[in-house]
Amino acid sequence: MTRYIVRRLLQMVLTFFGATFVVYALMFANQDDPYQVLAGDRVVSDSQRAALNAQYHLDKGFFTQYWYYVKGLLTGDFGTSLTGRRIGDMLAEAWPITIKLTLLAIVISAVVAIAAGVFSAVRRGGIFDHVTLVLTLVVLAMPIVVLAPVAQLIFGVKLGWFPVTVTRDANLYQLLLPALVLGTLVVATELRVTRSSVAENLRADYVRTARAKGLSTRRVVGVHVLRNSLIPVITLIGVDLGVLMSGAIVTEGVFNIPGVGFNLFRGIRTEDGPVVVGFVSVLVIVFLVVNLIVDLLYAVLDPRIRYE
């Protein structure tokens, strides 16, 4: 197990630098004029432009720029945005609200998906199975750019059940509506994967043996089938956790949540390369760590899996 973890950590290092290099190249290789975008209609003088170029090393070659970025990254310095704010401070402000929103969304979606998927598999071919199939298809067909403002209008403005906007110090109740909206990105897929996995395991030999020994359906499904069926679901949830953190741009924009997605969208719109690269670098770390944890959970769920 130790050798496997060390090997995975080395792979994570290579993946991290490869991903950050690609993102850095996409943001800076063909950048237009970010200073003019930030200045708006005001004129940026040549002296101001030269000073900013020297501050952000934009007067040097691309690989030299990337080296300065990596050198700062290794010391915990994510740099400074084009507006003069420390990116580390922006990350410290944005990540707590996004983590709370993402964890709430993943818990809601996982509970709903696993419960409904198991019941749908046990009662496959029934009314509940057909209804969930139709609902998941509807959810998959409805883009988040439509669902988020519609949910805000109906449940926030018309009915008044939830706050219309969310502040940085929001509690779980204030985050509930955006978390429900965000969870719809993954709940349909998780439900269908759970149903397929449980239905496949219900036809396995060990299930027939357990039933022949007189075990109740609840014990067979809850203890034996569910544990073996959770491996693909856990994999999907691990991937979805990173997807939700990076895919919250629309949800955070609609509900005015000052989180990671909100800052990423603003950085892209203003061509603030340091902000985009800094936030994406942390997202890459989250993806890698979550995938490592998911792989280690395989051995917990299935004792037959050993990492040697």
Side-chain angles (χ1 to χ4, degrees), residues 157-181:
V157 178
K158 299 293 185 182
L159 298 178
W161 292 353
F162 301 98
V164 178
T165 59
V166 179
T167 61
R168 181 175 288 109
D169 300 323
N171 53 35
L172 293 180
Y173 169 72
Q174 293 172 320
L175 289 172
L176 186 56
L177 181 58
L180 288 170
V181 172

Side-chain angles (χ1 to χ4, degrees), residues 93-231:
E93 293 177 359
W95 270 103
I97 184 69
T98 295
I99 289 175
K100 288 195 295 184
L101 175 64
T102 303
L103 291 179
L104 185 59
I106 204 71
V107 168
I108 293 173
S109 62
V111 170
V112 172
I114 293 175
V118 170
F119 191 80
S120 180
V122 173
R123 303 286 185 178
R124 63 183 181 276
I127 297 177
F128 184 83
D129 188 27
H130 291 301
V131 170
T132 54
L133 174 61
V134 173
L135 289 178
T136 52
L137 292 176
V138 171
V139 171
L140 288 172
M142 185 174 295
I144 195 72
V145 294
V146 175
L147 186 60
V150 169
Q152 183 188 51
L153 176 64
I154 295 176
F155 299 105
V157 178
K158 299 293 185 182
L159 298 178
W161 292 353
F162 301 98
V164 178
T165 59
V166 179
T167 61
R168 181 175 288 109
D169 300 323
N171 53 35
L172 293 180
Y173 169 72
Q174 293 172 320
L175 289 172
L176 186 56
L177 181 58
L180 288 170
V181 172
L182 190 60
T184 58
L185 287 172
V186 298
V187 67
T189 307
E190 292 176 2
L191 193 154
R192 302 312 300 173
V193 170
T194 303
R195 180 197 177 279
S196 300
S197 183
V198 172
E200 180 181 356
N201 279 285
L202 284 173
R203 296 190 294 268
D205 293 336
Y206 71 88
V207 174
R208 286 192 292 269
T209 303
R211 285 174 173 168
K213 290 181 177 180
L215 296 181
S216 63
T217 302
R218 177 177 299 180
R219 181 170 178 80
V220 171
V221 175
V223 176
H224 301 286
V225 174
L226 184 59
R227 184 173 181 178
N228 291 326
S229 303
L230 280 181
I231 290 180

Side-chain angles (χ1 to χ4, degrees), residues 6 16 38 63 66 69 90 118 126 170 181 205 233 236 247 263 266:
V6 172
F16 173 76
L38 290 172
F63 289 100
Y66 182 69
Y69 170 72
M90 298 173 66
V118 170
V181 172
D205 293 336
V233 181
L236 190 59
N263 283 274
R266 185 171 57 185

